[in-house]
Amino acid sequence: MNEDLLFNEAPGGPPRYSHLSNKPVQYLTVADRRGQVIGYVWANDEDDAAGWAVRKAGGDNAFNEGSVWAIKLHDAKARGIAPTAALAEMIQESDPTRSSHVVPGSLTEAPNADVIRRLANPT
């Protein structure tokens, strides 16, 4: 009962982008139908990294609608698409009549992924 538990990661599972990047990232602002920002999708090709940062201030609505953007990232990685190409697809396929969409003209660069996480959820 006093021994440390050892966890070994099992091989397999779906491919995923890394959630870490200390290099510059590109990001998109995502809003709901009413125009309220629900989060940000970010990407960096050099680190093969991308992620979804939900705005906790958006509550359950932001969390639920934001899951679509995380799924889009998972699907893009499974198809072998570079992270920033996934962002380009999201811009191209965005539809403001859906429950959430990319804010037009929102493609921006930030110094790293942590900046995006702080943007989504300032302390």
Side-chain angles (χ1 to χ4, degrees), residues 20-33:
L20 303 172
S21 182
N22 289 322
K23 296 179 176 81
V25 298
Q26 293 181 2
Y27 71 95
L28 299 170
T29 302
V30 177
D32 64 15
R33 245 187 222 128

Side-chain angles (χ1 to χ4, degrees), residues 50-93:
W52 164 251
V54 66
R55 285 189 69 237
K56 291 177 187 167
D60 292 340
N61 183 53
F63 181 81
N64 293 334
E65 291 180 16
S67 64
V68 170
W69 300 92
I71 290 168
K72 286 178 185 271
L73 286 175
H74 298 318
D75 291 347
K77 178 62 176 176
R79 291 183 287 126
I81 295 183
T84 58
L87 293 185
E89 277 188 356
M90 290 177 191
I91 293 169
Q92 196 170 29
E93 297 171 357

Side-chain angles (χ1 to χ4, degrees), residues 18-22 40 42 50-54 112-122:
S18 173
H19 288 281
L20 303 172
S21 182
N22 289 322
Y40 305 90
W42 62 268
W52 164 251
V54 66
N112 57 55
D114 285 338
V115 170
I116 307 306
R117 291 182 188 102
R118 286 192 302 273
L119 178 64
N121 297 295

